[in-house]
Structures are given as C-alpha cells and as structure tokens.
Amino acid sequence: QVQLVESGGGLVQAGGSLRLSCAASRSIFSANTMAWYRQAPGKQRELVATITTGSSTNYADSVKGRFTISRDNAETTVYLQMNSLKPEDTAVYYCNAVVRWFGSYRSIASWGQGTQVTVSS
C-alpha cells in the first residue's frame, strides 16, 4: 500500500524556484502534522518544515523566509514551495507524517522514494 509519493524535484540554477508535492494516503494525512525532510549526500536526513492539521507552520533556520509549506486537505497533498534556492539545498526531499517526540518530531509512516532537487551555482 503506497502511502507517500513525492514529486516536483529537478535541476535548477541558484536563485530559482521549485514546488514539491507529496500525495499522501488519507489514513496518515488527515489527523497528522505533515513534514518535509531532506537528505544530502553523506549527511543525515534533516527536518525542513512542518505543518499541523490547523496549518500552523514551522521551518528550519536554514530555509526560513525562502520555503513555504502548505497542505490541501481535500487532496491529501502537502506542498513545499522553494524560492531563492541555493546549492546547499541540493538533496533528496521526502515527506512524512510526524508526531511530537521529546521536543522534536518523529516520522510515523514508511518513507517514499523522495524527489531529487539539484541546485547549480
């Protein structure tokens, strides 16, 4: 049973924009905070942004002011609008449902395949 399908990645020049989409199963989307993560080569997966069921958002300092997370509850889809992209934003981007865990968040669903974002300088 496929639960998370990310799309929208690609190759973009520094300063450009991309919009990522994540189609989620209703069973994990409707009652949960959703999040975008990213994993750069040789690095651990990091949390980028979260959005609650009430659409309250939170961002990592590295993307604050440049990225915007949103959700469409009818379509059970979460988006990540990425503007002013930098080469250090290059990574595979994943979405997941999350729960609060010791002051941070823990993912609760199986990971999708992710979508590659590459920012050239």
Side-chain angles (χ1 to χ4, degrees):
Q1 181 180 357
V2 178
Q3 294 186 303
L4 298 162
V5 180
E6 299 93 346
S7 62
L11 173 63
V12 64
Q13 288 188 330
S17 298
L18 283 174
R19 189 192 194 208
L20 307 184
S21 300
C22 170
S25 300
R26 186 169 296 278
S27 60
I28 64 169
F29 179 94
S30 298
N32 290 303
T33 294
M34 297 298 294
W36 281 98
Y37 291 79
R38 66 186 181 187
Q39 187 167 19
K43 295 188 176 181
Q44 287 190 332
R45 191 171 293 170
E46 65 170 340
L47 182 63
V48 173
T50 61
I51 184 166
T52 67
T53 55
S55 295
S56 294
T57 58
N58 207 351
Y59 299 91
D61 288 343
S62 59
V63 307
K64 205 170 290 185
R66 300 187 298 121
F67 289 11
T68 302
I69 188 172
S70 60
R71 63 191 291 161
D72 184 330
N73 293 331
E75 297 295 328
T76 64
T77 299
V78 60
Y79 302 97
L80 187 68
Q81 177 67 44
M82 305 187 297
N83 299 327
S84 302
L85 282 161
K86 304 176 181 180
E88 51 264 43
D89 295 318
T90 295
V92 179
Y93 283 71
Y94 302 88
C95 68
N96 212 316
V98 295
V99 294
R100 294 291 291 180
W101 184 257
F102 291 104
S104 185
Y105 290 95
R106 180 173 65 88
S107 60
I108 61 173
S110 299
W111 295 99
Q113 83 289 349
T115 186
Q116 175 71 49
V117 171
T118 303
V119 184
S120 63
S121 56

